[in-house]
Amino acid sequence: VQDAASGQEPGSGGDEGSQRRWKEEICQILGEIQAPLSPLLLRSLCHWLLPKLLTRLFLGVQLHRGQLEMVLRAARTPEVPLVFLCSHQSQVDGPLLSFILLSQGIGLPRVTVGAKTSPRLRSLLQRLGGIFLPSGMAPTWSDPDEGLPGAVLDAYVQEVLRSRQPLVLFLEEPLASLRLADPARRWLLRLLRALRDGAVPDVLLVPVGIAYDVAP
């Protein structure tokens, strides 16, 4: 992050005013990615609101018990974080998966969310564990020069993995063709860089298939 910040203003690395501006910009970028979790909102969501919503939407939610036990065993692997790579059928997928993982004792995951959300909904989802790509990223995911936003995002993903928070990546957009979405490519690039740079020794990838009889 320091290298990317100093690259924006060459020769001003030791200037106190420049360092203050960098810190402000870095904090702003981090605020676009995530927000502190809200324990009150999480308790309300998981113990009251989400169960009521799910019982109204669905007759039942089916999990493969044997596969769930494998995930629970994997979650106990020391020093290795879990990364869930998920299909994406509807906007309910993120809250549903978060509820399942939290209720099974795996922990509240950080869930990638698409950019097409209102500011109020974005703020709410961030408080519940949602994470977003920051604005100001390079126009194409393959652009090697992503500037300060890309560097902050790299550092953030590395810290999430080091802290062993479960990470949920949706590989496609709801109701879109079956192809890897551009936001998913950006998140996967961060994951590969974290492994390449040795931020964590390994990650456990868990493929997740979500299907509905009738998508909500």
Side-chain angles (χ1 to χ4, degrees), residues 185-198:
R185 294 176 188 272
R186 293 181 185 271
W187 288 111
L188 289 171
L189 182 61
R190 265 72 222 175
L191 189 62
L192 291 172
R193 285 179 181 169
L195 285 169
R196 180 199 65 191
D197 296 342

Side-chain angles (χ1 to χ4, degrees), residues 23-145:
K23 287 182 180 179
E24 290 174 356
E25 188 174 351
I26 288 167
C27 288
Q28 181 180 351
I29 294 168
L30 190 58
E32 292 181 356
I33 297 172
Q34 61 107 52
L37 298 176
S38 171
L40 179 61
L41 266 178
L42 288 170
R43 281 196 297 271
S44 300
L45 181 78
C46 293
H47 295 297
W48 181 74
L49 184 59
L50 197 53
K52 279 185 173 295
L53 174 66
L54 293 177
T55 54
R56 286 181 178 275
L57 284 177
F58 308 119
L59 293 176
V61 177
Q62 296 182 348
L63 299 174
H64 191 291
R65 176 58 60 180
Q67 293 176 355
L68 182 59
E69 289 174 356
M70 291 173 63
V71 173
L72 292 172
R73 285 200 301 271
R76 294 192 288 269
T77 306
E79 306 297 326
V80 179
L82 287 176
V83 177
F84 296 85
L85 303 180
C86 310
S87 61
H88 203 3
Q89 301 296 317
S90 86
Q91 301 298 343
V92 180
D93 296 347
L96 177 62
L97 195 53
S98 295
F99 176 71
I100 290 171
L101 295 179
L102 191 59
S103 66
Q104 296 299 317
I106 295 174
L108 184 74
R110 288 291 185 172
V111 182
T112 60
V113 184
K116 297 178 182 177
T117 53
S118 67
R120 286 187 178 182
L121 180 58
R122 182 181 181 126
S123 177
L124 174 64
L125 292 176
Q126 284 182 321
R127 295 286 182 179
L128 297 173
I131 54 177
F132 295 78
L133 291 171
S135 60
M137 298 278 287
T140 60
W141 70 269
S142 58
D143 192 331
D145 183 18

